[in-house]
Amino acid sequence: MIITNVTTIEQTIAQACHDAARRREDVQEIVVTKKRTQGEIQEMYDLGFRHFAENRVDKLLMRQQEFPQEDIVWHLIGPLQSRKVKDIINKVEYFHALDRLSIAKEINKRAEHCVKCFLEVNISGEVTKHGFSADEVGDVLTQLQQYEHIEVIGLMTMAPFEATKEEIDSYFSQLKALRDNIMKSQANSSCKYLSMGMSNDYPLAIKAGATHIRIGTAWFK
Ligand SMILES: *Cc1c(COP(=O)(O)O)cnc(C)c1O
């Protein structure tokens, strides 16, 4: 039942924050709605959740028709194709998967507001994963400064599906170290948040410093 899952997840988040000596309010949970029914999402809304995410543009647009409530904060968390930027970019507050410069250019051209973006980093180096390599990030941030409609607020990563707990832990810690380096070397950088952690690994992510956790299946199982 959703309410039971919500209670369990909340306790797990609170415990992970406690273990890591972090404040609960510094971790924003995002409800990933892909594959869920309208009724399930409505239940999450009624329970007070306001941050919702989809990984596909068409799906997100559909969800916004189903849920026109003004107080919902929409996150696009999946890869974006250039030709779809204009359809979606003025309808979301956050984009978590900025993974190439060409997409940044298109966002800047089409956006009518400043889009809060996370740079996707391929920390694991897995060939099938999207994202910049850790080595590229500093340079990319500098290049993105020319875009007035893009604010890079943090870094995002996804652990490989088959990774062990130790590997996941290492990937999350590496992303945090990268963020810490940026904050140190680029004074006034807005790149301070970490979007990492999904249903299977969000407690590890919180312990490693995640500020935005993207949970889907665990709410609904
Ligand atoms: C689907 C998805 C999630 C949520 O995954 P779960 O394992 O269902 O929690 C998080 N982030 C991204 C980018 C996703 O596509």
Side-chain angles (χ1 to χ4, degrees), residues 25-139:
E25 63 264 36
D26 290 340
V27 178
Q28 176 64 58
E29 66 280 32
I30 300 166
V31 180
V32 181
T33 53
K34 61 189 187 204
K35 297 192 194 139
R36 308 326 307 190
T37 65
Q38 195 172 343
E40 288 174 314
I41 302 166
Q42 183 67 48
E43 205 172 327
M44 293 301 280
Y45 183 85
D46 293 342
L47 285 167
F49 291 90
R50 292 295 179 268
H51 287 258
F52 291 96
E54 277 290 343
N55 67 329
R56 294 187 40 212
V57 169
D58 305 354
K59 209 61 189 301
L60 201 148
L61 292 171
M62 192 194 88
R63 292 300 187 194
Q64 288 184 330
Q65 303 270 314
E66 293 172 353
F67 297 91
Q69 290 90 330
E70 294 274 328
D71 57 356
I72 295 182
V73 179
W74 290 101
H75 298 250
L76 180 65
I77 58 174
L80 184 52
Q81 292 167 286
S82 277
R83 64 185 171 85
K84 293 206 172 159
V85 169
K86 62 179 185 316
D87 302 332
I88 194 73
I89 208 62
N90 290 307
K91 299 188 168 162
V92 293
E93 212 163 306
Y94 293 86
F95 175 44
H96 291 242
L98 183 51
D99 61 355
R100 53 199 197 280
L101 287 168
S102 58
I103 208 79
K105 191 173 175 191
E106 184 65 14
I107 290 173
N108 192 59
K109 185 168 140 193
R110 303 288 185 173
E112 286 154 14
H113 67 296
C114 192
V115 186
K116 296 175 188 143
C117 296
F118 289 87
L119 283 197
E120 183 166 355
V121 186
N122 184 357
I123 283 283
S124 67
E126 203 186 5
V127 280
T128 53
K129 282 259 183 306
H130 293 268
F132 298 103
S133 71
D135 295 342
E136 289 175 302
V137 168
D139 191 43

Side-chain angles (χ1 to χ4, degrees), residues 9 12-13 16 30 32 34 157-169 172 196-207 210 213-221:
I9 292 172
T12 309
I13 294 173
I30 300 166
V32 181
K34 61 189 187 204
T157 202
M158 276 195 278
F161 189 67
E162 68 288 357
T164 64
K165 217 171 160 220
E166 288 71 26
E167 286 166 343
I168 294 172
D169 207 22
F172 288 164
M196 57 189 192
M198 316 194 335
S199 292
N200 289 328
D201 53 20
Y202 70 91
L204 286 176
I206 293 170
K207 285 176 201 167
I213 52 175
R214 311 176 310 268
I215 303 181
T217 42
W219 306 110
F220 307 102
K221 63 184 187 193

